[in-house]
Amino acid sequence: MSKVLVVEDDPVVQAALVHALTDLGHVVQAVGTAVAALREAGTSELDLVILDLGLPDLDGVAALRMLRGVSNVPVIVATARGAESSVVSTLNAGADDYIVKPFSAEHLAARINALLRRTGTGTTASADLLALGDLRIDLAQRLASLGESALALSRREFDMLAYLAQRPGRVISRRELIQAVWGNPYVGDDKTIDVHASWLRRKLGETAAHPRYLHTVRGVGFKLAAPG
Ligand code: CA
């Protein structure tokens, strides 16, 4: 369990982040401006800061430099800009890692766990490794295997598998899974999730008619469970 400060001015994104991080077992505080973030970082013990680069009061790079002036807390920058120059300048200004929006909760969790492990705080490495029957999932490395075979999964397929594997035996609604994997707000068609489920199922070597791990719960969603 780690104390995480979310710095994000968009209330929808902020609420989604707080929800996802709380769900992962972190103690989460959220602010909407760089000034509030600096005040928080200067006064409380934090394990991690997630910093949006597009804040209303200060440029992200400037905010990061000022944050570094008051704290050595690990910082993950969340950026909507994929441009290499902005990534490089934020890393130079003292960010430990960055993540490009939009990102899934699982992707963020993997980055957080990897960073906290590197910096020696927070969650243990075992939280990154999931096992279900012959299925192994390494959240930090984003690797999955079934028996002796590595699974070649797309980003979405991995996120979907990881989210279900973290909640084994539980029926997860389509809506919850879409929000976890595609983010919120999700713009698209519900068929997308069924298509990804069928691709994932094929890679797991099973069919909807004869599922082993991935079960469709008609009219509700999906469930991942060990066979037998
Ligand atoms: Ca923003």
Side-chain angles (χ1 to χ4, degrees):
M1 187 180 79
S2 306
K3 195 166 173 206
V4 182
L5 176 67
V6 170
V7 189
E8 170 63 68
D9 61 312
D10 181 326
V12 175
V13 178
Q14 188 192 89
L17 274 172
V18 169
H19 180 85
L21 291 164
T22 306
D23 214 37
L24 291 165
H26 300 297
V27 175
V28 189
Q29 232 178 324
V31 294
T33 63
V35 168
L38 291 168
R39 188 167 49 222
E40 210 46 60
T43 55
S44 49
E45 285 293 316
L46 298 169
D47 294 310
L48 180 72
V49 173
I50 308 211
L51 178 69
D52 170 34
L53 280 190
L55 292 169
D57 55 342
L58 270 180
D59 167 62
V61 173
L64 198 51
R65 286 192 202 285
M66 290 174 76
L67 182 63
R68 277 287 166 257
V70 297
S71 171
N72 286 321
V73 63
V75 175
I76 296 178
V77 161
T79 174
R81 319 163 203 176
E84 202 183 348
S85 60
S86 86
V87 167
V88 170
S89 60
T90 55
L91 291 173
N92 282 339
D96 296 275
D97 200 357
Y98 70 97
I99 188 163
V100 177
K101 290 177 180 179
F103 48 82
S104 71
E106 301 311 322
H107 187 183
L108 181 64
R111 291 296 184 92
I112 288 174
N113 288 337
L115 180 56
L116 292 178
R117 204 170 48 241
R118 283 210 301 277
T119 56
T121 54
T123 53
T124 58
S126 63
D128 292 346
L129 296 171
L130 305 175
L132 195 68
D134 288 331
L135 196 57
R136 298 283 178 277
I137 300 165
D138 182 334
L139 295 176
Q141 303 292 324
R142 296 183 62 78
L143 298 172
S145 61
L146 183 62
E148 299 294 301
S149 320
L151 297 174
L153 302 180
S154 71
R155 191 182 118 201
R156 301 296 194 198
E157 289 160 6
F158 181 88
D159 288 343
M160 192 176 204
L161 182 66
Y163 191 83
L164 291 166
Q166 284 173 299
R167 295 152 184 85
R170 214 182 95 191
V171 180
I172 307 296
S173 71
R174 276 192 168 66
R175 171 167 288 273
E176 179 178 348
L177 203 51
I178 285 171
Q179 288 194 350
V181 175
W182 277 267
N184 192 11
Y186 170 72
V187 184
D189 159 356
D190 278 15
K191 284 216 169 56
T192 306
I193 197 161
D194 296 312
V195 169
H196 279 79
S198 79
W199 287 339
L200 181 56
R201 190 168 265 144
R202 196 181 312 157
K203 289 178 183 178
L204 291 170
E206 58 190 58
T207 61
H210 300 284
R212 293 178 66 230
Y213 287 90
L214 183 57
H215 300 261
T216 299
V217 181
R218 220 165 280 286
V220 185
F222 299 95
K223 175 179 87 171
L224 195 74

